[in-house]
Amino acid sequence: MGEFKFPEGFLWGGATAANQIEGGYKKGNKGLNVADVLPGGKERYETLMKSGFDFEIKPNQYYPNHEAIDFYHRYEEDIALFAEMGFKAFRMSIAWTRIFPNGDETEPNEEGLAFYDRVFDELHKHGIEPVVTLSHYELPLHLVKEYGGWRSRQVVTFFDRYAKVLFERYKDKVKYWMTFNEINSALVMPINGLGFSIEKEEDRYQPTFQAYHHQFVASALAVKACHDIIPDSEIGCMILFAPVYSFDSNPDNVLYALKEEQIFNYFCADVQVRGEYPSFTNRFFKEHSIELDIQEGDLEILKEGIVDYIGFSYYMSRTEKKVKSPEDATQGNIIGGVRNPFLEVSDWGWEIDPVGMRISLHKLFDRYQKPLFIVENGLGAFDELTEDGSINDDYRIDYLREHVKAMGEAIEDGVELMGYTSWGCIDMVSMSTGEFSKRYGYIYVDKHDDGSGTLDRKKKKSFFWYKDVIETNGEKL
Ligand code: BG6
């Protein structure tokens, strides 16, 4: 037991994304999206990081998101398992291409809408509140190929239409929404969120920040529409937050870490939470020759569409110094940095830092004074299915316990936190590596990196641990 208490009504649960769990990639008239053309295995990470990706399906490649874990057909069984753990909330996303297969149609696809009706009904049957991301790395492929993804201003109109269709259709079923998943991650991986690949000789800043501007306008329009159509709704932004530490007390390194934090961690959230570009924008834009095309009325739209809460993912901190040698680099951290000697790493080299979660909660609450929602956190690890059929994932329990404690401490410190939906409550396809073997779940899925497996579900040891945590509202850890 800690020195803390979680508030009544705290939203305990788990988080997923349509493209990583659903499968059924052509079922119910669904169109193809960005995730459908991302290969599995080693190729995945390279594809996300390199320039010049062509967004084509290749005959000799395996595409794990096509079948994923088949939530499309097994959602009833999965939701029953979430209910057994006592979930109060389930974070999921809607695949834009189930609703508008190409993205630019004027009429939605009824089969897609009906699928999510069934999912929401099933969740409510078990008293679980859906928390829905409008866009989680699932941009329609047609918008990528014909419009250049979020480079194009036209995509704002298509997204606006899509968002309004969802709010109208699900206004009685969904209260909690989020706009773009990890919007700031596009600075590192534009393919996922922005739907374009940097061209070989092109500087990444100009297209990325112009595309961000389009997403900011789209996000603000969605926030406004959500409030108009569903008056008691709450809609948040969603950022990838990895607090940036200075490697040492050298002021040059401290300043470098601060600037990295501003541009990566805060830039997008500042616009979405405060409704205006932050004070460091002009100088940064000048130094990087960025010129934004801002249309008349855009700045007013941003002001009118500020979010109600800040959703964020927390997996790791990042340690920085101004001048780095290649030997300093971390092995796995997705957004780079140098190796922090005080931290252990996961099987995939991600630095494990529960204190960093408490620091993140403080940083965000100090800056914005808005409710926070941790909508992703977890340990991607190899799991072993033992002969008796059990999966003893004590390492995952240890990881989660320390992070839940850090959250409890931050709440005790005065931070306002709405909930915690840990990532990958059921094993699924990894976003960055396309592997099934990078498992996060409380529920094991029999599916493997070569595509084999029965898709059977099994409860891991952490399943029972999390059930107790929820049942006791964080008292029993
Ligand atoms: C977040 C994404 O970056 O991290 C998820 O929003 C992703 O989609 C999660 O799955 C964990 O990353 P990975 O690469 O281990 O799946």
Side-chain angles (χ1 to χ4, degrees), residues 99-100 108 113 160-170:
I99 313 302
F100 290 101
L113 287 167
D160 186 43
R161 185 180 301 144
Y162 162 64
K164 283 180 179 148
V165 163
L166 300 186
F167 299 145
E168 286 291 352
R169 175 76 171 219
Y170 305 123

Side-chain angles (χ1 to χ4, degrees), residues 107-228:
E107 291 307 314
N109 168 38
E110 178 52 35
E111 266 195 84
L113 287 167
F115 168 66
Y116 293 107
D117 265 323
R118 293 196 294 277
V119 173
F120 296 143
D121 291 345
E122 196 63 25
L123 288 167
H124 286 300
K125 193 170 103 188
H126 292 282
I128 300 174
E129 199 67 60
V131 176
V132 176
T133 319
L134 296 172
S135 182
H136 190 131
Y137 299 157
E138 285 141 352
L139 190 69
L141 197 58
H142 176 76
L143 298 186
V144 170
K145 295 200 163 176
E146 296 302 314
Y147 298 84
W150 282 97
R151 283 180 195 261
S152 163
R153 174 85 194 196
Q154 279 168 286
V155 177
V156 176
T157 312
F158 306 141
F159 184 81
D160 186 43
R161 185 180 301 144
Y162 162 64
K164 283 180 179 148
V165 163
L166 300 186
F167 299 145
E168 286 291 352
R169 175 76 171 219
Y170 305 123
K171 57 178 176 243
D172 299 323
K173 299 184 182 181
V174 181
K175 177 175 166 172
Y176 297 103
W177 299 86
M178 268 174 282
T179 52
F180 297 100
N181 181 65
E182 292 188 333
I183 182 166
N184 55 327
S185 71
L187 210 48
V188 184
M189 303 177 289
I191 289 176
N192 276 333
L194 298 177
F196 61 80
S197 185
I198 300 298
E199 285 164 21
K200 281 213 168 62
E201 300 312 323
E202 183 186 31
D203 182 85
R204 69 170 55 223
Y205 285 117
Q206 175 63 34
T208 303
F209 281 88
Q210 184 62 56
Y212 271 163
H213 180 69
H214 295 151
Q215 286 197 326
F216 296 151
V217 173
S219 163
L221 289 170
V223 168
K224 196 167 175 313
C226 186
H227 289 152
D228 289 346

Side-chain angles (χ1 to χ4, degrees), residues 73-84:
H73 295 107
R74 295 167 194 248
Y75 66 90
E76 286 171 305
E77 180 192 350
D78 292 342
I79 291 170
L81 288 166
F82 302 152
E84 198 181 322

Side-chain angles (χ1 to χ4, degrees), residues 20 136-137 181-182 238 315 350 376 423 429-433 438 440:
Q20 290 170 264
H136 190 131
Y137 299 157
N181 181 65
E182 292 188 333
M238 193 318 200
Y315 292 93
W350 290 19
E376 286 189 33
W423 179 253
V429 186
S430 151
M431 177 276 290
S432 61
T433 69
K438 190 177 187 189
Y440 285 86

Side-chain angles (χ1 to χ4, degrees), residues 255-266:
L255 182 66
Y256 182 77
L258 177 121
K259 289 193 159 211
E260 282 297 304
E261 182 141 270
Q262 283 181 330
I263 204 64
F264 188 79
N265 283 351
Y266 292 132

Side-chain angles (χ1 to χ4, degrees), residues 214-278:
H214 295 151
Q215 286 197 326
F216 296 151
V217 173
S219 163
L221 289 170
V223 168
K224 196 167 175 313
C226 186
H227 289 152
D228 289 346
I229 299 169
I230 323 175
D232 68 338
S233 62
E234 292 187 39
I235 178 159
C237 58
M238 193 318 200
I239 55 170
L240 185 171
F241 199 88
V244 187
Y245 304 154
S246 173
F247 181 73
D248 57 22
S249 54
N250 177 345
D252 284 342
N253 287 337
V254 176
L255 182 66
Y256 182 77
L258 177 121
K259 289 193 159 211
E260 282 297 304
E261 182 141 270
Q262 283 181 330
I263 204 64
F264 188 79
N265 283 351
Y266 292 132
F267 180 79
C268 296
D270 278 357
V271 181
Q272 293 180 290
V273 178
R274 296 169 165 167
E276 56 189 31
Y277 280 94

